[in-house]
Amino acid sequence: MSVIYERVALIGLGLIAGSMARAMRRGGLAKEIVGTSRSAETRETARDIGFCDRVVDTAEDAVIEADLVVLAVPVGAMGGVARRIGPNLMRSATVTDVGSVKRHVIEQVRPFIPQHVHFIPGHPLAGTEQSGPRSGFASLFENRWCLLIPDEGTDPDALRRLRSLWEAMGANVDEMEADHHDLVLAVTSHAPHLIAYTMVGVADDLKRVTDTEVVNYSAAGFRDFTRIAASDPTMWRDVFLANRGATLEVLGRFTEELFALQRAIRTGDGDRLFDYFKRTRAIRRGIIEAGQDTKAPDFGRVDAV
Ligand code: NAP
């Protein structure tokens, strides 16, 4: 593969930036990767593990002469970072982000991007419950979707170049409008995370379920909730605050369905439960057919797959 960007600046050195750095290195996609993070501790770790070619102390310095700038911080911090880097952005550079919410990020970031710079928001639909500078890995984006959010004014060449970077990192790329993205993600990711957080919280509150029982018998379904509910608290606080409207809309519908199923259980309406579960099982099959998961049984052990 060949070089796509001369100098890539990664602002934020966590799971997503770390995976991008590794994937770009593996493919020789950037001549130089410069990184920075808010805390001295993360910058130090990044230097120790050779996260990128150079780690600098400030975002303002990181973006100098970068032809691609990637904002990889929590969505609530994007606007503040954009404000700081705006004046130092190189003419014709592309700024993108990897935030899990799009409308809010666009509103926060766009005002600080100069006319002579391309701004193309993005969101790789790939992640784990791990975070921090040591958590990234090169194959994170393989066969995962990355959604780019161009608008009428987006430069086609800049878009093509960014798309080719994501494809070279293994992702399938699609384009989407910002509000639609936020609704889709509220259904597929944000509401499920809130439900997992709630379920784990409920189990913790139930004094009848002792700690040992929760831990020992967790493979009965609860374990998957605990994995999701172990996700980074800062990132997820920001996601819910930034995608308030769509998340509340989806949770409203969820609550209605939950009440309907609750009623079916109370009234002994087994047919309703059966039909509902039959429909949801088909969705799982669709995900497997689309190559977004395997059908191997997952007992939570690496060698189970
Ligand atoms: P992460 O591993 O937790 O790393 C976050 C990075 O942002 C760190 O470098 C951290 O700096 C920095 N940061 C935290 N708060 C900040 C603030 N207030 N101001 C400036 N910098 C700050 O996060 P991540 O999982 O890579 O997520 C980064 C972005 O990707 C988020 O917008 C998230 O929504 C999006 N995303 C995440 C996933 C996922 O599954 N994790 C998937 C797709 C997209 P210090 O360590 O120096 O404090």
Side-chain angles (χ1 to χ4, degrees):
M1 272 184 255
S2 54
V3 170
I4 298 173
Y5 291 98
E6 295 293 310
R7 179 177 293 172
V8 175
L10 299 173
I11 315 297
L13 299 175
L15 169 72
I16 301 296
S19 300
M20 290 184 73
R22 286 178 170 87
M24 285 190 282
R25 275 194 167 163
R26 184 184 60 182
L29 309 175
K31 239 184 210 159
E32 189 188 22
I33 304 171
V34 184
T36 191
S37 193
R38 172 182 62 165
S39 71
E41 191 187 343
T42 299
R43 295 196 300 269
E44 214 32 61
T45 305
R47 286 189 185 106
D48 282 352
I49 62 177
F51 191 114
C52 48
D53 300 307
R54 261 185 317 126
V55 176
V56 299
D57 286 346
T58 66
E60 290 88 330
D61 284 347
V63 302
I64 291 171
E65 290 183 23
D67 49 356
L68 178 69
V69 175
V70 182
L71 308 181
V73 296
V75 291
M78 299 271 183
V81 170
R83 178 197 295 270
R84 289 169 46 206
I85 62 172
N88 286 14
L89 292 167
M90 186 172 81
R91 177 167 289 279
S92 294
T94 293
V95 174
T96 189
D97 76 293
V98 294
S100 308
V101 179
K102 297 286 37 112
R103 177 61 64 201
H104 178 86
V105 168
I106 292 168
E107 283 170 3
Q108 298 299 309
V109 171
R110 169 87 68 203
F112 302 110
I113 306 296
Q115 282 294 325
H116 58 79
V117 170
H118 309 292
F119 175 44
I120 309 174
H123 180 201
L125 306 189
T128 74
E129 68 280 17
Q130 309 289 332
S131 56
R134 295 184 190 277
S135 59
F137 53 99
S139 60
L140 178 66
F141 309 113
E142 274 167 24
N143 200 28
R144 295 283 166 256
W145 285 98
C146 178
L147 301 176
L148 297 179
I149 320 290
D151 61 22
E152 336 56 78
T154 302
D155 179 77
D157 287 335
L159 180 59
R160 250 193 305 275
R161 211 164 150 205
L162 185 59
R163 173 185 268 271
S164 67
L165 177 74
W166 279 108
E167 286 172 348
M169 290 192 293
N172 306 313
V173 178
D174 209 352
E175 292 170 23
M176 207 177 259
E177 189 275 328
D179 294 323
H180 188 62
H181 166 280
D182 290 352
L183 181 62
V184 169
L185 267 291
V187 174
T188 57
S189 171
H190 306 168
H193 270 80
L194 197 74
I195 293 160
Y197 279 122
T198 313
M199 195 57 233
V200 175
V202 168
D204 192 41
D205 285 345
L206 274 179
K207 300 298 174 216
R208 277 167 297 158
V209 181
T210 68
D211 284 353
T212 337
E213 279 169 328
V214 168
V215 173
N216 285 351
Y217 308 135
S218 64
F222 183 67
R223 190 204 61 215
D224 292 335
F225 281 114
T226 63
R227 187 185 60 73
I228 296 171
S231 300
D232 187 68
T234 306
M235 170 184 156
W236 283 97
R237 176 202 61 195
D238 283 11
V239 166
F240 293 121
L241 296 181
N243 199 17
R244 195 180 309 223
T247 308
L248 290 178
E249 165 70 24
V250 172
L251 286 172
R253 286 167 187 247
F254 174 81
T255 315
E256 282 173 22
E257 297 276 306
L258 190 65
F259 279 137
L261 291 179
Q262 206 172 314
R263 188 178 160 71
I265 294 170
R266 194 189 314 284
T267 58
D269 188 350
D271 289 348
R272 187 184 174 105
L273 294 173
F274 185 84
D275 288 347
Y276 202 94
F277 302 158
K278 213 164 104 184
R279 180 155 67 93
T280 54
R281 188 177 223 194
I283 292 175
R284 170 76 187 160
R285 291 207 186 102
I287 290 171
I288 291 163
E289 275 160 28
Q292 294 301 300
D293 206 347
T294 67
K295 66 175 179 203
D298 172 6
F299 302 109
R301 304 182 210 103
V302 177
D303 58 5
V305 182

